[in-house]
Amino acid sequence: MKWEAVRRAREILAREEGAVVKDWGGRLPIALVYPNTYYVGMSSLGLQVLYRRFNARPDLVAERVFWDPGQPPSSIENQQPVDRFAVIAASISFELDILHLIVMLRRAGLSPLAEQREEDAPLVIAGGPVPTANPELLAPLVDAAFIGEADAELDRLAEVLAETAALPRRERLQALSTLPGLYVPNVSTPPVQRVWVADLDACPTHSAVLTPDTEFGDMYLIEISRGCPRGCRFCLAGQIYRPVRERSVSALVSQAEEGLRYRDTIGLVGAAVSDYRDIDELLARLRAMGARIAVSSLRVRPLPESLLRALAESGSQTLTLAPEAGSERLRRAIAKGVRREDVLSAAERAAGLGFPQLKLYFMIGLPGETDDDVAAIAELVGEVRSRFRRRVTVHVTPFVPKPHTPFERQPMADAATLDRRGQLLARSLRGPGVTLRLEGTAWARVQGVLARGDRTLGRALGALQAPTLAAWRRMLRSAELDEERYLRARGRDESLPWSIVDQSCRLPAGEERTAESYGFAIES
Ligand code: SF4
C-alpha cells in the first residue's frame, strides 16, 4: 500500500474523536465501505451505527473505507486493502454510488461480478436505501443485499458471519439467506420482506465518530424518528421507512447529554422532525441543557414556532424548505400538502427571526408538468424574495421516478424537456439576491436508470471502468442497452424488478398515530 495513503489515513484519524482501532488477531474483519467521499460518508448515521455496533463485539473488527478517486480502496483504521477483509458491507445511500462501488471493487483486484469472484474473496453485502428499494439491479454484483433497516438484525447478521467464516462460500450464503431481510440472489425465494426496527429506543442512532471534515462536522447527530407520515407521491423515503416511529424524549435527552460532551450543537435527524409528537418538550429540554439545535431541512407545514426560534437562537445560518413544485396544481398532484401561503409565511417568519439565508428545493420534470408550472416556480421565488430580502438559494433537480412510490411507473422526462425547462428557470430567476443551483440532466438520467434497473443492467455494470459519463455510455453501448429502456413509462401490467421486495408493514394495533394527530389529512 502506498505511503501517501497511509499518511492520509493517519491524518484523518488524528482529527477524529471516537474512532476504534482494534487488533485483527482472532477477529472477523469487516470493511464498512461507503462508496462516496469521506466528507459525505461521515455524515451518514447508518454508517455510524454499523461501525459502533460491529466494533462493540469482541469477535469483529470493523474499519471504514471511502471512495478516493486517486487511490485503491483501503481502510482508515489499520490502512488495510479492501481485499484483505472477510466481508465488505457496502452502505449505498445514492444510486450513483453504485458506480463508485464497482470501480472500488475493481481497483481492489476483485471482480465486480459476484459469480467471478474467487472462493476466498470477501463476501460483498450491500445495504441502505438503494438496495432496499431495488436489489435486483445489484443481484449480479453483490453476494447479498440487506432489505430494510439493518440495525433490526445486526447482531444476528454478525453472529452468522462470525460462525460461518471458515465454511465454503456457498454454505455461508445459504446461512445468510435464512436471516430476515437478507436477500441472497439465486438462493433466496422472493418476495423478501423488508425489515424494520419496532422499538427505536432499543436501537440508539447517533454520531459515533466525530470529525470536523464532514458536512455536519460541527454537531452531534441524533435520529429522533424514522419514517414520514406525509406520503408525497414522488418520495422514496416516505415508502421504505414506513411505519412512522418516534423515539422517547427521555432517550433523546440522554443521547444529547453524551453528545454535548463533544459538540455544543445537537443535529436532529429524521424525515419528519417538525412532525415529532413532543417537539416542544424536546426542544425545551435540549435548550435548558445549553444545546444549540440544528436540522438539515424542514417541512413547510407544520413549522412549529418553537423549532424555528430554537434554530434562530442557535445561530443557524440557513433555513431550508422544500416546496418541490411552483404551482398549487402540481403540488396537489404530487400530494405535497403545502400551499403558497405556507411558503410565504415561512419566508416572512424566517426574515423576522433574522436567518441570513433561505434555501428552497424544487423539482422539474414532474408527471403532468407544463411550462406554466415551471414559470410558477419563478413567480413563487419572486414572492418569497419580496418577503425575505437576504440571500435566497434555489436548488432545482430533475424528478427521478423511484421504485415503490405511486410514480414508479411514470416515465422520466426526456433530456431536451429538462434542459429547456432548466433554461427557462435560469432566465426567469436572474436578479440580485437569488442564486440558482440547477442539477445537470445527464447524471439525473443515469440516476433514473440505476433506480429502476434490472439484472441485465447489473450484469452490464460489471464492465464499467470508471464513474464517468463517457465510461457509462461505453458500458451501455457494448451491452446494447440504452437509457430509454429504463426511463420509459411502465405498463400497468408490466412486472417490475423491485416487486421482489415486500414493503408491507404495520405497527401493533394502537401504536400507529392517526393522520389527525399530525394535524393533516392524508390525501388519496
Ligand atoms: S414530507 Fe418529505 S420525507 Fe415526507 S413524504 Fe414528503 S418528501 Fe418524503
Side-chain angles (χ1 to χ4, degrees), residues 319 345-355 358 387-390:
L319 187 69
S345 144
E348 268 167 20
R349 291 164 70 198
L353 286 166
F355 283 90
L358 194 56
R387 287 158 177 83
F388 187 90
R389 304 301 301 174
R390 300 183 192 96

Side-chain angles (χ1 to χ4, degrees), residues 228 230-232 234-235 237-238 271 299 324 336:
C228 176
R230 300 279 154 176
C232 303
F234 58 87
C235 178
R299 195 70 39 69
E324 311 289 8
K336 187 62 198 176

